[in-house]
Amino acid sequence: GSLFSQKTKVFMDEAAVAFILDSFTTGRVLSGEHLCFGEYRSTTEIEYCGVPIVTDKILLRPDVIDYNDLGFLESFTFMAVLYIVFDNQSLGKPLMNDIKNLMDGMNDILGGVSALPSGGVIVRIIGKAAFSVERALITLWSAARKRLLNLESSPSSRIVGI
């Protein structure tokens, strides 16, 4: 099967804010392409003022592991990781609460949010349809923009790359 490998490195200066998205689909289910690849490898590294703060690796090998099993992807076909990095640590807990509350009302995705020790959060989402994951990401992105930057997002805002 096909092999995919990517490495994203982000270098941030003091007082910078970053919204970084890594998304992936396991293939089209109706076309029989679900998990029909050899390997998917993605590495994301983020440095803030020269200090590594995130190293996140995703490795999928469907020929080796059955990801349809309980505790893996099961029937979910879309995954996304949203890294939101900022230096104002007093905004971390309120942002996490915003994200948790919003995700609690989203019945078509599963997700979680974790704090970065140096300022920021990582949001992981899985869903069964691209539009569900995209809608969730836009909602969370908009809430984070409002909380961190005091910016409203227009209804036509879209995340590029999904």
Side-chain angles (χ1 to χ4, degrees):
S2 63
L3 306 175
F4 177 83
S5 181
Q6 74 175 8
K7 186 171 190 175
T8 303
K9 293 181 99 172
V10 178
F11 302 93
M12 298 175 61
D13 289 329
E14 188 174 357
V17 175
F19 295 76
I20 303 150
L21 174 64
D22 185 12
S23 61
F24 170 75
T25 181
T26 61
R28 298 177 294 188
V29 175
L30 295 178
S31 298
E33 299 169 351
H34 177 63
L35 295 170
C36 288
F37 56 89
E39 180 177 287
Y40 172 84
R41 180 184 305 260
S42 177
T43 302
T44 302
E45 297 177 351
I46 304 171
E47 287 188 16
Y48 190 87
C49 294
V51 177
I53 60 169
V54 172
T55 299
D56 196 17
K57 297 181 178 188
I58 298 171
L59 175 61
L60 298 176
R61 291 182 176 150
D63 294 341
V64 177
I65 296 173
D66 182 3
Y67 293 103
N68 290 309
D69 280 348
L70 186 65
F72 291 102
L73 292 173
E74 300 173 24
S75 61
F76 294 96
T77 57
F78 293 88
M79 303 182 313
V81 182
L82 178 61
Y83 309 87
I84 306 171
V85 183
F86 51 91
D87 66 352
N88 186 343
Q89 292 196 14
S90 68
L91 295 175
K93 192 167 189 163
L95 178 60
M96 284 185 61
N97 288 334
D98 292 346
I99 291 170
K100 285 179 186 176
N101 290 335
L102 287 167
M103 285 197 301
D104 283 347
M106 298 176 183
N107 298 325
D108 48 359
I109 59 106
L110 292 177
V113 59
S114 302
L116 291 173
S118 56
V121 299
I122 297 177
V123 181
R124 295 186 190 279
I125 297 173
I126 56 175
K128 295 181 180 181
F131 66 86
S132 300
V133 173
E134 181 178 13
R135 184 175 52 234
L137 288 167
I138 290 171
T139 300
L140 300 176
W141 172 77
S142 297
R145 278 177 46 97
K146 185 173 184 178
R147 172 71 66 187
L148 299 175
L149 305 172
N150 201 28
L151 294 174
E152 298 289 336
S153 298
S154 70
S156 64
S157 295
R158 287 189 46 88
I159 298 175
V160 178
I162 296 182

